[in-house]
Amino acid sequence: MTRIGRLGAVGALVLACLVAAGTATARVQANGAGGASVAAAAPDCHLSSARGDIKHVIYIQFDNTHFLRDNPNVPSDLEQMPHLLNFIRGNGTLMTNDHTALISHTATGILTSLTGVYPDRMGQPVSNSFRYFRPDGSTRSGVSFAYWTAPLFDPAGPTGQTDFTPEMINEHGKIAPAPWVPYTRAGCDVGAIGTANTVLENTAIDIPTVFGPNSPEAAEVTANPAQAFADFVGVGVHCAQGSALCSAANNGRPDVLPDEPGGYAGFNALFGAKSVDPAIGFSPPTDLNGGTIQDATGHVGFPGFDGMEAKVSLAWVAQMQERGVPVTYAYVSDAHDEHGTSGNIHFAYGPGEAGYVQQLKEYDNAFATFFDRLAADGINKSNTLFVFTVDEGDHFVGDAPTPADCDGIVVPCNYNRVGEINANLSAMIRTQFQDNTAFTVHSDDAPNVYITGNPSQTAAATRKLEREMAQLNWLNPYTGTVENNIMVAQADQTEMKTLHMVTADPARTPTFTPFADPNWFFFASGTPATCATPAACASIPPRGPQSFAWNHGDIQHEIATTWVGYVGPGVRNTGDYEGWTDHTDVRPTMLTMLGLKDDYETDGRAVVQPLFDWAVPQTLRAHRETLLRLGDVYKQLTAPFGTFGMETLTASTRALASGSAADDSTYTSIQGQIASLTSQRDALVAQIRSGLNAAQFDGKALNEQQAKAWISQAQSLIDQATALAGS
């Protein structure tokens, strides 16, 4: 089966079984230094850092690129990219204890980092695809990747679609505020290179949303769909008011954000390489090695998301920065899978395998070229805020390598079997428990379950299936033995609310979510009805050009734990920072340093420990120790992978496994306590969040006594959750 991902498909992302799916030269030489002529940041771009020394922002977010080692003998991804790692460690701070939100996938990870809010406030807790209930209780597929203002992207099309709520739905049921707004309001143009939902993601729904269904762009989709994808998807610039870059002459279009708090009128944007590249002197676009950027079949322009290797993404970043786009956000595809030519294959490597090591070497070379090119242009740590991070971690599924002591560098690693265990969850349930309850899933390591008919949480069918999931066992084809309790944790809608997985659109809420052993990847289908043999429903697919071996979406440490690197004015260089953070903290930390603010409250808090005192507002220096304690306990209270979330998940897991049709009192009691604790948590978090946002962005210092009271209340709730988990 094909995992739904950021695929360079024409028109729409492909779903497997609908559950998984100008004329200027490229560079103008100047001053004999090999760099491009630089258009400095526009005078109207007001990045209000403390000393006024930040003139550029470069934000790079990787897909599945690890600081932690996947094999203790094999250097990690970052260790194999020393030009990047040394740039961060030699000039700034590497934060090594960052965490994802749930579900821990590409869309959720990127969007949480971009917005600074948890998925319940931006609409994508289940990704990279999800399901939604129709009024008749059946389900259809949605895709997480669609432009910011698009309605829910159902790849099957509008016939039969019943949910047209915003793709990016906030807690008020409106389009979530857009992450480029603080910059454009400050007079800065913002480049977006492959960054989730800030660019067009597909031609099926995004072209009609942005250009209109009867537009020339829509006509190109019909006449030449592959070229239309290369022309319009994946690259964009959101411009400040009056910016010449997004003029009508450059095919600038209105940047429409109808639900943006405070309004958002008079702003334009460029959508797609066809408009962006001529405007920035990048036609034809060339990667850092001088090769033409094109898709697998030779269409020049955006090569597809799997084609966004470091040499490609960083070339667009450098070109935009050199041509006066002072803020750039970019996506870099993973290096542990061989994507062929711009994503025409998907071959999974194991840690230390020769192809994997070679790709990381190529990524490292790209960063060396990138940093040299920027330095020649005068874009460096003295005037630029660099942020590097990743969407999520992964768990590798495969045999142990040979030889056992291979390091991938001197001694290559070799593997026999590589690949996740593909398992038909519905057929396994029918076989083991003779339960014919109809359900669909979001295919994943954590397969969100949608029971047909959309029954209540206490319905007999719901509770029976939850108990069965807790007891699921099957023959593990790697070990050759029966694996008991494959589902290591479970959350129903009560606990999913605690974990920020319930949005303002009730149709998107799964019935419940089991979290599995990370070697398994589940789908659900009506065939076979039952499994004649264990291997008929759970097997390791043959290794080939469409193979997958890196699981994420789950709750394990290697999946949930990520990293963030900061370099620039105001960032200390005192070694790695190991304090606990999560994705929502990235945005408030950046905006605090830049002297900007969002038109909404972020769920994160500015992480000031790696910053110089002069780089942050006075209100974040007053009562410093109390503020730091408050920030730490706040994270443990509200973050999905914080103590409160993980302890209540433990209690939820026990609750869902408990009881019988005759007596479900344990479930009722535990779920009632989780709901009560979550309600108290949410009320307290709202107060702390407002206090922290006011201190970070509004010049209002915390009241120390109030902050101490909040710390005490937060710790009490965490302690109660811990007691519930252990009772």
Side-chain angles (χ1 to χ4, degrees):
M1 62 174 289
T2 299
R3 168 93 44 82
I4 176 140
R6 308 199 70 187
L7 305 177
V10 176
L13 300 176
V14 176
L15 294 172
C17 303
L18 291 182
V19 298
T23 60
T25 57
R27 298 187 67 194
V28 181
Q29 302 301 321
N31 302 324
S37 61
V38 179
D44 290 336
C45 178
H46 301 294
L47 297 174
S48 302
S49 55
R51 294 182 176 176
D53 43 5
I54 301 179
K55 304 299 183 183
H56 308 264
V57 178
I58 295 176
Y59 177 102
I60 308 292
Q61 188 148 23
F62 289 89
D63 189 19
N64 312 349
T65 301
H66 308 159
F67 167 74
L68 299 174
R69 290 190 174 191
D70 298 294
N71 177 318
N73 296 328
V74 178
S76 72
D77 296 347
L78 275 184
E79 289 177 302
Q80 291 187 56
M81 291 190 286
H83 286 97
L84 173 59
L85 183 58
N86 292 342
F87 179 80
I88 298 171
R89 282 180 162 165
N91 300 291
T93 295
L94 180 66
M95 305 171 76
T96 61
N97 195 23
D98 194 57
H99 297 80
T100 67
L102 285 169
I103 293 291
S104 183
H105 260 301
T106 302
T108 303
I110 294 175
L111 292 168
T112 304
S113 302
L114 290 184
T115 61
V117 300
Y118 292 118
D120 52 359
R121 297 182 60 205
M122 56 76 172
Q124 297 297 331
V126 179
S127 69
N128 292 333
S129 64
F130 53 90
R131 301 195 72 84
Y132 68 91
F133 283 105
R134 301 200 299 170
D136 64 1
S138 64
T139 64
R140 299 242 301 196
S141 289
V143 178
S144 298
F145 296 115
Y147 183 61
W148 208 270
T149 58
L152 187 152
F153 179 23
D154 181 333
T159 302
Q161 182 172 353
T162 59
D163 192 336
F164 295 90
T165 54
E167 180 79 14
M168 300 298 299
I169 190 171
N170 71 358
E171 68 270 31
H172 307 299
K174 303 292 186 179
I175 298 170
W180 59 85
V181 167
Y183 298 110
T184 56
R185 283 183 172 159
C188 310
D189 296 342
V190 181
I193 302 106
T195 310
N197 298 14
T198 65
V199 293
L200 305 196
E201 293 276 354
N202 61 82
T203 58
I205 193 172
D206 288 352
I207 292 292
T209 296
V210 171
F211 294 109
N214 300 314
S215 62
E217 291 81 3
E220 183 179 333
V221 173
T222 301
N224 193 347
Q227 187 61 58
F229 189 92
D231 282 346
F232 304 124
V233 171
V235 182
V237 180
H238 298 276
C239 283
Q241 284 184 326
S243 171
L245 185 64
C246 290
S247 66
N250 287 340
N251 202 32
R253 297 301 178 96
D255 198 354
V256 180
L257 295 173
D259 296 335
E260 194 68 27
Y264 194 73
F267 294 84
N268 281 357
L270 300 179
F271 297 98
K274 187 175 184 177
S275 296
V276 171
D277 289 352
I280 62 171
F282 203 43
S283 295
T286 53
D287 64 34
L288 293 180
N289 294 337
T292 299
I293 300 173
Q294 56 192 341
D295 68 12
T297 52
H299 297 92
V300 175
F302 184 69
F305 294 97
D306 278 350
M308 296 303 282
E309 302 166 306
K311 67 180 180 180
V312 174
S313 288
L314 298 180
W316 256 304
V317 172
Q319 189 72 22
M320 286 187 181
Q321 288 283 341
E322 291 163 351
R323 292 307 179 100
V325 180
V327 180
T328 50
Y329 280 69
Y331 166 85
V332 176
S333 60
D334 70 85
H336 59 220
D337 295 318
E338 167 56 47
H339 296 296
T341 303
S342 303
N344 66 331
I345 68 169
H346 194 288
F347 180 86
Y349 289 123
E353 203 163 9
Y356 189 175
V357 172
Q358 178 60 34
Q359 288 196 151
L360 287 171
K361 176 61 176 173
E362 292 170 2
Y363 274 41
D364 185 51
N365 291 340
F367 274 98
T369 300
F370 178 66
F371 291 135
D372 287 347
R373 176 170 167 177
L374 290 182
D377 295 328
I379 302 172
N380 54 51
K381 65 178 182 178
S382 71
N383 58 21
T384 304
L385 174 60
F386 294 89
V387 180
F388 307 93
T389 189
V390 64
D391 49 15
E392 78 270 321
D394 302 271
H395 173 85
F396 172 69
V397 188
D399 284 323
T402 57
D405 61 349
C406 66
D407 63 0
I409 308 302
V410 177
V411 180
C413 296
N414 299 288
Y415 294 85
N416 180 16
R417 295 173 299 177
V418 169
E420 61 206 7
I421 303 170
N422 274 198
N424 188 335
L425 184 59
S426 54
M428 292 164 69
I429 291 292
R430 291 191 292 267
T431 300
Q432 184 173 340
F433 302 102
Q434 295 76 55
D435 185 350
N436 292 318
T437 299
F439 64 90
T440 55
V441 303
H442 164 249
S443 300
D444 202 2
D445 180 12
N448 315 83
V449 173
Y450 304 75
I451 299 179
T452 303
N454 198 9
S456 72
Q457 294 291 276
T458 57
T462 303
R463 291 294 298 119
K464 184 173 187 290
L465 193 56
E466 290 168 345
R467 294 187 193 103
E468 291 165 353
M469 291 288 180
Q471 301 172 56
L472 184 67
N473 62 77
W474 209 260
L475 184 71
N476 184 317
Y478 274 108
T479 65
T481 61
V482 172
E483 181 175 347
N484 296 312
N485 307 116
I486 293 172
M487 302 304 182
V488 300
Q490 290 193 85
D492 69 357
Q493 293 178 1
T494 298
E495 177 62 16
M496 284 191 287
K497 185 176 188 300
T498 306
L499 299 175
H500 303 290
M501 292 175 62
V502 176
T503 72
D505 180 5
R508 302 188 201 186
T509 305
T511 311
F512 66 98
T513 298
F515 298 92
D517 175 293
N519 291 324
W520 296 75
F521 184 90
F522 291 98
F523 63 99
S525 76
T527 56
T530 56
C531 311
T533 64
C537 288
S539 62
I540 307 166
R543 197 176 187 191
Q546 291 298 324
S547 57
F548 299 89
W550 296 89
N551 265 349
H552 39 256
D554 217 322
I555 59 173
Q556 286 74 23
H557 174 75
E558 66 271 24
I559 294 172
T561 306
T562 61
W563 56 274
V564 186
Y566 294 90
V567 172
V571 182
R572 296 179 183 271
N573 182 220
T574 56
D576 292 357
Y577 177 71
E578 299 178 354
W580 204 102
T581 64
D582 79 350
H583 280 357
T584 65
D585 297 330
V586 176
R587 186 167 183 83
T589 302
M590 292 178 64
L591 294 189
T592 296
M593 296 178 65
L594 294 169
L596 303 177
K597 63 175 293 186
D598 278 310
D599 47 28
Y600 58 92
E601 290 184 350
T602 63
D603 288 326
R605 52 53 160 120
V607 183
V608 299
Q609 290 91 327
L611 308 181
F612 289 105
D613 285 350
W614 58 260
V616 300
Q618 173 61 35
T619 48
L620 294 184
R621 303 197 295 270
H623 314 302
R624 178 181 174 85
E625 293 306 315
T626 300
L627 183 140
L628 295 181
R629 287 174 54 216
L630 178 62
D632 288 344
V633 75
Y634 170 70
K635 288 280 92 173
Q636 296 308 309
L637 181 62
T638 190
F641 284 102
T643 304
F644 185 90
M646 290 296 98
E647 297 286 38
T648 55
L649 180 59
T650 297
S652 169
T653 301
R654 188 170 74 254
L656 269 62
S658 72
S660 65
D663 179 9
D664 216 6
S665 57
T666 297
Y667 168 83
T668 301
S669 175
I670 293 175
Q671 293 304 94
Q673 292 178 76
I674 293 175
S676 176
L677 286 172
T678 299
S679 179
Q680 296 175 67
R681 189 276 307 268
D682 290 347
L684 179 57
V685 161
Q687 296 178 58
I688 298 174
R689 183 175 70 203
S690 292
L692 290 174
N693 274 264
Q696 290 162 175
F697 305 120
D698 295 333
K700 299 178 181 179
L702 287 169
N703 180 293
E704 186 168 26
Q705 295 309 309
Q706 178 65 79
K708 289 180 177 179
W710 285 338
I711 292 169
S712 178
Q713 294 170 54
Q715 190 60 57
S716 176
L717 288 174
I718 292 170
D719 291 345
Q720 291 177 65
T722 300
L724 179 60
S727 64

